[in-house]
Amino acid sequence: MAHSSWRSAAFRPSCFMAHDGKKIAILAGAAGPPVSWGAVTPPAARAPATLPPRGRASGLLPSVRLALGTAAALGLARFAYGLLVPAMRDELGWSLAKAGTLTTANSLGYLVGAVAAGPLARRLNETATFRLGMVLTAAALAANAATASYPVLLLTRAAAGVSGALVFIAGGVLASRAAASRGSALPVSIYFAGAGLGIVVSGTVIPPLLSHDPGRWPLAWAGLAAGAGLATVFSWTAAADSTKAGAGGDGAVGDDVDGEEAGGGGVAIPRADWRAVAAMWRVSVAYLLFAGGYIAYITFLSAYLTAHHASVTQVAVTWAALGVAAIAGPVLWSRPLRAWPGARALAAALAGISAAAAVAIIADPAVVIVSAIGYGVSFLVVPAAITRIVHAAVPRPNWTAALAAFTVVFAVGQMAGPYLAGVLADSYGAGATLVWTAALCAAGSAASLTVRSAGKP
């Protein structure tokens, strides 16, 4: 595959705009798995949009407001749970395995939502799907504040996963339309940067709230729900603005997407192609190990810090550093993703996650912050690298189907990882979750190095 197909990809986490002059496809990644969900046709032979300085700034405001979707769906509804694990474990008498199972439920819900996003967007449209997902995300977070029942919490965390997937995928399509209209990848870059913003906000607010009274954990969930509610309000009209921006281009809803028929909302329903997973079994193993390993770090990081008597300031700074690094990571990895052959970028990213988790075992405050930065810079890049490998190895008409199969591989690892890491931590301490992440990602990196070259798994 030509390197030009990847130039816009490096600007944002968990997303690619794979273009050949005709289509721009959204590949939702992971912090969600990389699945092709839709496409729009950018204006043919149109020069990049040029706006006066004031118009350019004002034109980006809808993209900034749309980015509150990923801030809520991922930063608040998925990753912020790690900040509540210590308090909920202590107050509710949970084991770490039990705490990890809530993350498993959220991951299962995300998979269900990812499968449902296509049909729902076909029936409604991307704007309505995005808005529905935002409302349900805020409601699911609020429901967490209303109960201490473990079975109910499993359901509410799963519900947050479903609604988060609707937001992530539908919003990604809307952002791609705005990007096509402007002739720039910037709207998509901004949209996916919202996940890091959500991590920063939750990391600076929740630790002080729970520091002296772990019993306030319902209040923390209520705060997250309020944040998601505000994000819903401010992103509401941005979703409509993005739809209007896409409508102005030559692209029409319903175009064929990578050989599959898109529905009325421009979202393709992927059909999993397991032949690609089998043919690229080394890449599949690496991705499975990543999925099971990366999620344990961010789920149990606060529990590990609490076990080592970290101050409130240290916890807040660590999470804020992780979030900022997650925003900056795709920019730092842009050249390796474009230039490095085969699976080298994947191997390097996995090695970076492994090293970041391993050094945190030292437990020195400064070292843990360095660990969080290393993790944040690397973990959102892995789906980008996986997508690049698939694009190089699989014929274009089969991209969507192949990536759909890799979605399931990712989901299996992400669902199993938190529970298994929690079981290990219950026996050997919270630091065992760091060993778990380091070991699995190191093994994934080693598996990646055995991939001979892109296109020849």
Side-chain angles (χ1 to χ4, degrees):
M1 188 184 69
H3 287 311
S4 62
S5 297
W6 296 94
R7 286 173 186 163
S8 64
F11 288 102
R12 64 234 173 249
S14 15
C15 173
F16 279 99
M17 297 176 67
H19 57 88
D20 60 357
K22 295 181 180 180
K23 294 177 181 177
I24 294 181
I26 284 296
L27 306 177
V35 182
S36 177
W37 288 98
V40 295
T41 308
R46 174 183 290 183
T50 55
L51 298 173
R54 180 174 301 178
R56 185 180 297 113
S58 62
L60 289 177
L61 287 178
S63 298
V64 173
R65 290 187 287 119
L66 193 67
L68 294 174
T70 50
L74 298 182
L76 302 183
R78 176 180 288 193
F79 296 132
Y81 168 63
L83 289 162
L84 284 89
V85 166
M88 296 182 73
R89 179 194 60 184
D90 292 344
E91 290 295 309
L92 301 178
W94 290 352
S95 65
L96 286 176
K98 207 169 184 179
T101 303
L102 286 187
T103 296
T104 294
N106 183 259
S107 299
L108 176 61
Y110 186 92
L111 177 61
V112 172
V115 172
L120 186 60
R122 293 178 66 172
R123 178 175 293 275
L124 303 176
N125 57 50
E126 286 87 357
T127 296
T129 301
F130 177 87
R131 290 172 172 173
L132 176 63
M134 290 293 289
V135 171
L136 294 179
T137 295
L141 290 172
N144 290 333
T147 182
S149 168
Y150 187 75
V152 175
L153 286 170
L154 285 173
L155 292 176
T156 57
R157 292 301 292 149
V162 173
S163 61
L166 299 181
V167 171
F168 187 87
I169 293 166
V173 175
L174 294 173
S176 75
R177 288 180 175 172
S181 176
R182 291 176 57 87
S184 167
L186 192 56
V188 183
S189 305
I190 293 172
Y191 177 71
F192 288 96
L197 175 63
I199 294 173
V200 172
V201 171
S202 59
T204 54
V205 172
I206 293 178
L209 177 66
L210 300 180
S211 61
H212 299 297
D213 188 357
R216 291 177 177 174
W217 65 264
L219 184 59
W221 281 118
L224 292 172
L230 288 174
T232 301
V233 171
F234 285 107
S235 65
W236 194 268
T237 57
D241 291 341
S242 298
T243 300
K244 292 176 183 177
D250 297 338
V253 171
D255 290 338
D256 178 69
V257 182
D258 297 337
E260 298 188 41
E261 181 182 355
V267 175
I269 303 175
R271 296 186 294 271
D273 181 3
W274 292 100
R275 294 171 298 178
V277 171
M280 294 185 287
W281 65 268
R282 297 176 183 86
V283 175
S284 303
V285 168
Y287 202 34
L288 179 68
L289 291 169
F290 161 74
Y294 99 94
I295 194 67
Y297 181 99
I298 202 166
T299 298
F300 296 110
L301 177 60
S302 289
Y304 173 73
L305 292 172
T306 299
H308 286 80
H309 310 290
S311 67
V312 175
T313 300
Q314 182 188 348
V315 175
V317 170
T318 299
W319 274 79
L322 193 159
V324 171
I327 295 172
V331 176
L332 299 177
W333 282 89
S334 60
R335 183 175 179 81
L337 284 170
R338 289 198 312 268
W340 290 2
R344 291 186 184 178
L346 173 62
L350 289 170
I353 298 170
S354 177
V359 299
I361 297 173
I362 298 174
D364 178 81
V367 173
V368 174
I369 291 175
V370 171
S371 166
I373 293 173
Y375 175 90
V377 163
S378 303
F379 85 107
L380 289 175
V381 178
V382 173
I386 289 288
T387 308
R388 180 185 186 277
I389 294 169
V390 171
H391 278 193
V394 175
R396 181 177 178 83
N398 297 333
W399 282 359
T400 299
L403 289 167
F406 272 92
T407 299
V408 179
V409 172
F410 179 90
V412 170
Q414 188 171 241
M415 286 186 289
Y419 171 76
L420 296 176
V423 170
L424 194 65
D426 286 331
S427 298
Y428 300 101
T433 60
L434 301 177
V435 176
W436 171 271
T437 297
L440 265 63
C441 289
S445 179
S448 302
L449 291 174
T450 66
V451 177
R452 291 188 293 274
S453 65
K456 294 181 181 181

